[in-house]
Amino acid sequence: MTPRARALVLAALVAACAVLTAGAQDASFGRTTSVAAPRGIKFESALLEDVDGDGARDLVVLAARAGKRARRVVRIHLRRAGESAFAPEPELEFDLLPDVVGVAVADVHADPGAELVLLAPTGAFALRPRAADERERYVQLVATELLWQLPHERKTLTWQEGVRDLDGDGLADLVLPRPDGYTAALQRRAADGARSFVVSTPELPDDGADTPEGLGSAKARGRKRRGEIAVSLKLGDRAPAGDLLDVAESVPAPVLADWDGDGRTDLLAQTTADVLVWLLRGDGRYAGPPDVVLPLPLEVDRRRLLDVSYSAHAADLDGDRRADYLLLAGDQRSDDARVQVALYRRGPAGREGATPLFGDAGRPAQLLVIAGLAGAPELADVDGDGLPDLVVGSLRLDALDALRAATGSTLDAELYVYRNQKGAFSKQPDLTRVLHVPAKALSKSRSELTARFVGDATGDGVSELLVRDDPERVQLFMVRRAGASLAILDRPLFETRVADDADLLVTPAARGVPPELALVSDAEILHVRFGR
Amino acid sequence: MTPRRAVFALAAALALPCGAAATAAEPRAAVTARAELSFAPSAEVVADIDGDGRAEIVLVAEDGAVRVVRRAEDGSLGAPQGELVLPHPERTLLAVADIDGSGALHLVTLSPEGLRAYPAVPGAAFAARPLELAPRARFVLRVGAPRLARIVRDVDGDGRADVVLPLGAACELWTRAKGAESGEPLRYERVASVAVDVQRTESTNGGALTDVLEGGFRIPDLRTEDVNGDGRADLLVVDGKVRAFHLQRADGTLPAEPDVKVDLALFRDTTPDGELRLGHTLAGGDDARYESRDLDGDGIPDHVIAHRRKVWVFLGGRDGPQFTQPAAILKTADDVTALLLVRVDDDALPDLVLVRVQVPSAAGLLRGLVAEWDVDIATVGYRNVPDGVFATTPAWRGTLTVRLPAILGVLRDPDALLRRFEQVAARFRDSLETDLDGDGTADVLLVADGDAPHLDAWFGRGARGGDPDAERALGDALFGADGERTWTIDALLGWLGSMAERRASRLTGGRDADASVPLRGAEFVRRALLTGDLDGDGRSEVVVVSTRREDGNGVLDVVSAR
């Protein structure tokens, strides 16, 4: 599963923005490198990906030049040996064309290293910045309609989650969202090194769940996105005044996982009615209609969609190489705030029957109940046993707790880790961490509060915990195995002050490479690599 | 049962949802025709496209097929006519308009093929071969299906149709090229490209099956208003923090470059940064706020800009807006969260209302997690004095407290709160005006949704205009001595509900409806209510366009007066 930011539940309440800066000071475990924006440049976002093919992550900065008619610019800082990970000045810098909507990094061309994949409304293109001939600078990879069709003057979307080796041939493939489904492009390499793509277009069925609302109905609408709930109310007559054109398109986020255990990565999506599965075939294509349609085991109505705890996840939880299903939902029948965690495991391979996963009765293999307003789940291998563990945040408050919080001006949230015991989670949390969120954080809408396990940074096989429960501070805590249990050390391995409006980019540990961070603010990127 | 009643009962049984009576007597309005369509409409217009004095129903299907439905002599709706299929249905904006000034209506489209106009064919539909008005006016944004939009309008007020081409962060204005009057083919040419403030909704967060990727945008319409009192519509542009004004010339042209431009970022109060701090006044962000309205009664809009604790007032004149000579500069003791230009007192001139919202303290906010919590709002009103500026000392002060429910309670079930607001919102009934009974006076129709949706009609109640006392009601709410000073959600909903009743009462005169016609129920989605005289008898009909939830196909119901 792609790494996710773990916004605390309470971040949903944050209602305004502010800008503060703070100097950075680091402890010894993490080595920091600061990259400052030159005069006239404002940093917008960043990626940490291997661009030059040396196995180390480089820093790709997406920025905008100041001025009324801003131009977007990409600055690539290649990783270098030594104390500073990056030079102050980028090794590569180029302007983005006006119709570029988003970017990703992937090796999609015979040129050495990876390319910048430019996403435009009409398809994906590889940028070859070192091409001698200007006409060969842009190579079309796939023609497709992209969900995101309107470029921004300053911002550039990133879609690194759509880059995966889907068929296990060692080549990066692409999955791009379209307004009515997805475009999958599987890369092929010819004997001479030339690249081509096998393209297929899985299509979302018209399930009727998204019937457009009619005139005069649904005058009040609610929507939930990460970190916010918004309600809009329309009073009076029909057409919203003052708009020439209003376009809203959306698709379920594609989840890439092996459904049938054949080693190829299948494509999953969930509507308000069904889980849909498109199987990757031997020829590198997905079918248009989904191969598997599984009706959800619960009704997903507006109340459910606004439920802050509601989320569903696909991952192999029992090690059989086939995706299982995890569902979190608020218990709507309970007087107390509590969340049900339902684990649906796959049946024996080849003998799942006519209704795989959910079964005829929709009964889960395991049901956990977590008290409080729980959410922001993450499936991460905390204990290093190779199976994903369940990490959930929870807010439990009664009047006394609230009074205590008001007195201390901090809000206590809890982070639970339920270890995966061969396909079932522990009935009680194996690890609990109390997070003290200062009340001032509630007034910072731009700051991202997070607590997530980022992989092993110390070499003991156990994942470390990254915490930003104060917008102005980032800490890394060591998690230690003590016999059969886990413990989080009180003293952080690393701590640094950060600008409270800095966006946090986390690259978890992978294949022995420790986790890294990038804190992106308008004028500076603070890069942190862990390990001594 | 008399034969007549038996016929009525039979008709009602057979023709539901055809008209039920408001009274036991023959209803004054009823559904008099209906039709089932074999396609899903994505756009619909009622207009007399062939000039025969009888309006047609123009329907555009999602696949681009354009069909016309006429009312037959016997009152029924005929079969859809037409062969035209638009070539890029997913990227087409359309309008039915008199594009060439001849009085005849065309189907005007913007698409990747450019600006085109399809002439109407008398007695049939639209010609398959269009007039190519501007091949370079290419519209390339995906809208999913042919979409009606205000692309044809007289932007510069010269009496001729102009075309607005939305491109994204800019809109282009195309006007009729010279020479069309002298017999040359009708052509349109680009005269201006105007930046617009596009709002985007984008989400790239993935990883969970319940995550949703979003790609959306909202392009505002071009705004025109006479800003220098010459009677001509000038073009107002909002581009980020910049406001620009293109003043229309006497010959009807609009300059490509604005005559007046103001960057709101230049208006800075040097008091400390207006950040959001718990327990302090909400500064409402650090951007300057701008409002425009005629303050001195000369018919020319004036301008007010506020930043933190400072308010600048600029009077517009015959030369248009100006932002160099402030008529007044007000300084306040605390940050301004919002400013309003509304009538508080009895005179006709708007007064200045500054709103300050007090952010709860940290302790208050944390207590608010589990208990009701208060947000205090202070309002200060400055009277508009006769020379068009505001008195330097406040004439009115008000405070009110908004009491909000416990935050965790709302988070647990936000839908419950939403439903309550929805119930109030439903009381703001959609309305339309048309001369249903042909007496030369507009009638009012209000839609009632709910379990038994229906359309109520009040004859002779049209042309009531806006609510002249709405501003005063707001002023009373902000400063009224006997008003409720603490507003709970219930009180807020009650106030909104009373506003809905007040609006309905203003529209209907507070009397019972003269007729009530049932509308289709929950199995249908109502798309549009359109009006036009379908049979040329001088009485307008209401065409209700709906789609069937089951298959998405359209259905038409025609409501007529009897």
Side-chain angles (χ1 to χ4, degrees):
Chain A
M1 179 178 291
T2 310
R4 298 178 54 202
R6 291 181 42 73
L8 291 177
V9 172
L10 208 60
L13 309 175
V14 176
C17 68
V19 177
L20 282 178
T21 56
Q25 52 181 216
D26 51 289
S28 60
F29 186 76
R31 284 173 291 172
T32 60
T33 301
S34 174
V35 175
R39 189 180 174 82
I41 293 278
K42 181 183 170 192
F43 291 161
E44 295 286 349
S45 58
L47 290 167
L48 281 169
E49 296 293 330
D50 179 13
V51 175
D52 57 5
D54 66 354
R57 299 176 186 122
D58 306 305
L59 178 64
V60 179
V61 183
L62 304 167
R65 298 187 199 282
K68 186 171 176 300
R69 289 285 169 259
R71 281 180 304 157
R72 295 169 301 167
V73 59
V74 179
R75 297 160 60 90
I76 299 178
H77 299 255
L78 299 177
R79 180 66 64 95
R80 65 182 190 178
E83 199 57 31
S84 292
F86 306 109
E89 292 301 317
E91 282 76 12
L92 287 169
E93 180 176 2
F94 42 86
D95 288 355
L96 283 178
L97 295 177
D99 60 347
V100 171
V101 176
V103 299
V105 174
D107 183 3
V108 289
H109 193 272
D111 288 350
E115 284 71 39
L116 202 63
V117 177
L118 306 177
L119 306 179
T122 55
F125 301 80
L127 171 61
R128 305 172 59 216
R130 293 195 170 96
D133 189 334
E134 184 73 17
R135 289 169 301 182
E136 295 179 354
R137 197 163 197 193
Y138 300 95
V139 177
Q140 184 167 37
L141 305 173
V142 55
T144 183
E145 292 207 21
L146 194 68
L147 173 69
W148 307 294
Q149 58 172 326
L150 202 59
H152 198 285
E153 285 182 341
R154 297 177 183 278
K155 294 181 178 7
T156 310
L157 304 179
T158 58
W159 182 238
Q160 200 61 33
E161 298 184 6
V163 177
R164 280 281 286 275
D165 177 9
L166 296 171
D167 51 0
D169 63 357
L171 299 174
D173 308 309
L174 303 175
V175 175
L176 306 173
R178 291 185 294 117
D180 55 355
Y182 314 94
T183 294
L186 275 83
Q187 191 176 174
R188 296 285 183 261
R189 179 163 50 197
D192 63 355
R195 312 293 176 91
S196 62
F197 286 86
V198 175
V199 178
S200 57
T201 53
E203 293 175 1
L204 289 162
D206 293 329
D207 59 8
D210 298 316
T211 303
E213 293 295 343
L215 195 73
S217 63
K219 286 184 171 181
R221 292 171 189 271
R223 66 196 299 259
K224 182 187 76 172
R225 296 172 71 183
R226 290 190 177 182
E228 69 175 57
I229 290 179
V231 173
S232 63
L233 193 67
K234 184 161 79 77
L235 305 178
D237 280 337
R238 300 175 290 274
D243 286 340
L244 182 60
L245 187 57
D246 187 358
V247 173
E249 296 176 314
S250 64
V251 293
V255 171
L256 304 173
D258 188 355
W259 172 260
D260 53 8
D262 64 357
R264 292 189 286 262
T265 304
D266 306 308
L267 195 159
L268 285 76
Q270 180 169 312
T271 67
T272 52
D274 304 300
V275 172
L276 311 170
V277 184
W278 291 265
L279 300 175
L280 181 58
R281 299 172 179 186
D283 63 357
R285 289 184 169 86
Y286 297 99
D291 299 287
V292 181
V293 178
L294 302 170
L296 289 174
L298 81 170
E299 183 187 3
V300 179
D301 53 11
R302 188 178 70 182
R303 188 179 180 197
R304 182 61 69 199
L305 289 172
L306 290 173
D307 173 3
V308 293
S309 301
Y310 175 60
S311 69
H313 308 263
D316 175 16
L317 298 175
D318 54 7
D320 68 353
R321 298 172 184 267
R322 296 178 302 154
D324 304 297
Y325 184 85
L326 189 71
L327 177 68
L328 277 81
D331 186 347
Q332 295 177 340
R333 286 175 294 190
S334 167
D335 292 334
D336 301 320
R338 64 182 198 181
V339 173
Q340 294 179 323
V341 181
L343 167 62
Y344 294 88
R345 262 196 321 261
R346 305 290 298 283
R351 290 186 285 123
E352 286 190 292
T355 52
L357 193 60
F358 299 129
D360 292 330
R363 196 166 296 135
Q366 184 184 18
L367 185 67
L368 294 173
V369 176
I370 300 175
L373 202 63
E378 182 186 19
L379 291 167
D381 181 11
V382 176
D383 55 12
D385 67 353
L387 292 173
D389 306 303
L390 173 63
V391 185
V392 180
S394 177
L395 195 59
R396 293 173 66 181
L397 276 183
D398 57 21
L400 198 59
D401 294 326
L403 189 61
R404 200 178 300 126
T407 307
S409 288
T410 61
L411 179 67
D412 290 350
E414 291 179 326
L415 187 74
Y416 302 129
V417 177
Y418 295 82
R419 292 173 71 180
N420 189 330
Q421 315 277 4
K422 297 179 181 173
F425 295 114
S426 303
K427 292 178 181 170
Q428 298 296 325
D430 297 286
L431 194 57
T432 299
R433 173 79 182 186
V434 179
L435 304 166
H436 307 288
V437 181
K440 65 180 181 183
L442 305 182
S443 66
K444 312 288 183 189
S445 68
R446 281 197 60 192
S447 54
E448 185 184 7
L449 304 179
T450 199
R452 58 176 296 190
F453 290 89
V454 294
D456 181 19
T458 58
D460 65 353
V462 181
S463 177
E464 267 61 60
L465 175 64
L466 182 80
V467 175
R468 188 186 189 188
D469 55 5
D470 182 332
E472 299 175 16
R473 183 183 64 188
V474 171
Q475 297 172 302
L476 185 77
F477 291 92
M478 182 177 181
V479 182
R480 199 166 57 184
R481 196 183 283 113
S485 61
L486 298 171
I488 299 173
L489 300 192
D490 289 336
R491 188 180 167 84
L493 280 171
F494 169 83
E495 177 175 331
T496 188
R497 306 289 292 177
V498 297
D500 67 355
D501 62 345
D503 292 328
L504 176 60
L505 170 69
V506 180
T507 307
R511 293 186 290 275
V513 180
E516 297 179 26
L517 314 177
L519 287 139
V520 184
S521 52
D522 292 352
E524 181 196 37
I525 292 180
L526 184 68
H527 174 262
V528 185
R529 51 188 163 150
F530 294 114
R532 291 193 173 89
Chain B
M1 184 180 287
T2 65
R4 179 188 168 103
R5 282 179 179 269
V7 169
F8 260 104
L10 184 61
L14 291 175
L16 198 77
C18 288
T23 65
E26 183 172 336
R28 294 185 63 187
V31 174
T32 54
R34 62 181 181 178
E36 307 260 344
L37 305 173
S38 59
F39 57 88
S42 71
E44 49 278 308
V45 176
V46 171
D48 180 9
I49 61 170
D50 53 9
D52 65 352
R54 306 197 309 175
E56 288 80 26
I57 305 169
V58 180
L59 300 159
V60 184
E62 290 178 351
D63 64 0
V66 180
R67 301 293 178 260
V68 173
V69 174
R70 287 183 168 78
R71 191 160 201 183
E73 292 298 332
D74 65 358
S76 64
L77 293 175
Q81 295 176 287
E83 303 292 328
L84 172 61
V85 179
L86 300 174
H88 301 280
E90 75 286 358
R91 295 173 196 275
T92 295
L93 297 181
L94 57 88
V96 172
D98 174 13
I99 195 76
D100 60 1
S102 67
L105 296 179
H106 292 70
L107 178 67
V108 182
T109 63
L110 280 170
S111 74
E113 307 285 344
L115 173 62
R116 289 175 159 181
Y118 297 83
V121 178
F126 291 100
R129 185 169 180 183
L131 305 172
E132 303 284 356
L133 303 185
R136 294 176 61 192
R138 297 177 64 239
F139 174 74
V140 297
L141 296 173
R142 183 180 58 240
V143 294
R147 185 91 74 91
L148 277 174
R150 292 187 70 213
I151 54 173
V152 182
R153 46 189 290 213
D154 181 10
V155 174
D156 51 17
D158 65 353
R160 301 191 297 187
D162 307 311
V163 174
V164 180
L165 169 62
L167 295 175
C171 285
E172 289 183 351
L173 181 62
W174 293 67
T175 61
R176 202 182 303 169
K178 291 184 173 58
E181 289 79 3
S182 57
E184 293 179 25
L186 182 61
R187 288 280 184 274
Y188 268 69
E189 61 186 10
R190 191 180 74 161
V191 294
S193 178
V194 178
V196 289
D197 220 11
V198 180
Q199 293 182 27
R200 293 173 168 80
T201 308
E202 287 155 345
S203 169
T204 59
N205 287 326
L209 283 163
T210 38
D211 285 333
V212 175
L213 306 180
E214 295 177 293
F217 53 87
R218 182 180 290 181
I219 299 176
D221 204 351
L222 292 186
R223 192 177 150 211
T224 55
E225 184 184 352
D226 178 12
V227 295
N228 57 355
D230 61 3
R232 296 188 288 266
D234 307 304
L235 185 60
L236 281 58
V237 176
V238 177
D239 183 13
K241 295 173 184 170
V242 174
R243 302 289 181 274
F245 304 84
H246 301 245
L247 304 182
Q248 190 188 156
R249 304 297 189 256
D251 64 358
T253 59
L254 287 165
E257 293 299 318
D259 298 280
V260 181
K261 200 158 126 179
V262 60
D263 185 351
L264 299 181
L266 297 177
F267 291 87
R268 313 295 292 175
D269 178 21
T270 52
T271 49
D273 190 0
E275 65 176 42
L276 191 152
R277 288 177 295 164
L278 300 179
H280 292 72
T281 298
L282 175 67
D286 202 31
D287 292 337
R289 279 167 293 290
Y290 166 85
E291 291 291 332
S292 173
R293 200 164 166 184
D294 178 16
L295 301 176
D296 53 5
D298 64 355
I300 299 174
D302 307 301
H303 314 273
V304 178
I305 299 172
H307 181 251
R308 292 183 194 160
R309 301 178 187 184
K310 219 165 176 180
V311 180
W312 293 263
V313 180
F314 296 95
L315 298 181
R318 291 286 166 192
D319 295 330
Q322 59 84 22
F323 297 93
T324 53
Q325 299 291 325
I329 299 176
L330 301 176
K331 290 184 180 175
T332 65
D334 205 349
D335 288 338
V336 176
T337 309
L339 74 88
L340 304 169
L341 297 173
V342 293
R343 280 176 50 225
V344 179
D345 56 16
D346 292 330
D347 67 24
L349 299 175
D351 306 296
L352 172 66
V353 176
L354 303 180
V355 180
R356 299 179 189 131
V357 177
Q358 187 79 6
V359 181
S361 65
L365 198 56
L366 290 170
R367 276 195 298 272
L369 290 168
V370 295
E372 287 187 329
W373 56 298
D374 293 347
V375 175
D376 294 325
I377 299 174
T379 50
V380 182
Y382 295 82
R383 193 186 303 277
N384 189 330
V385 291
D387 55 358
V389 295
F390 302 106
T392 52
T393 54
W396 308 278
R397 291 182 185 277
T399 57
L400 62 92
T401 299
V402 178
R403 183 154 295 161
L404 297 166
I407 296 167
L408 291 183
V410 174
L411 280 180
R412 271 201 70 197
D413 190 4
D415 188 54
L417 189 61
L418 189 61
R419 281 198 305 273
R420 295 177 66 193
F421 276 97
E422 202 167 42
Q423 286 166 1
V424 172
R427 293 165 68 180
F428 286 84
R429 299 167 64 180
D430 289 327
S431 68
L432 64 160
E433 289 189 7
T434 192
D435 184 5
L436 209 57
D437 55 4
D439 64 354
T441 307
D443 309 312
V444 167
L445 297 107
L446 293 182
V447 178
D449 286 303
D451 295 336
H454 56 277
L455 182 67
D456 293 329
W458 285 261
F459 294 107
R461 280 297 307 174
R464 289 293 179 270
D467 183 356
D469 294 327
E471 285 187 33
R472 293 294 309 281
L474 179 61
D476 290 345
L478 294 174
F479 299 113
D482 54 352
E484 181 59 58
R485 297 293 86 193
T486 298
W487 284 41
T488 62
I489 291 292
D490 287 334
L492 180 62
L493 291 170
W495 184 76
L496 286 172
S498 70
M499 294 294 284
E501 299 302 330
R502 176 197 176 103
R503 174 177 173 271
S505 178
R506 181 176 56 81
L507 291 170
T508 65
R511 60 182 167 88
D512 291 339
D514 297 312
S516 184
V517 181
L519 298 174
R520 292 178 186 264
E523 320 87 75
F524 296 87
V525 177
R526 198 163 55 252
R527 284 185 49 84
L529 290 168
L530 307 167
T531 60
D533 182 3
L534 298 183
D535 42 19
D537 63 355
R539 299 190 300 177
S540 184
E541 279 79 36
V542 177
V543 179
V544 185
V545 185
S546 310
T547 53
R548 195 187 303 275
R549 286 189 190 273
E550 185 181 5
D551 55 14
N553 285 342
V555 292
L556 305 176
D557 297 299
V558 177
V559 177
S560 310
R562 287 181 168 170

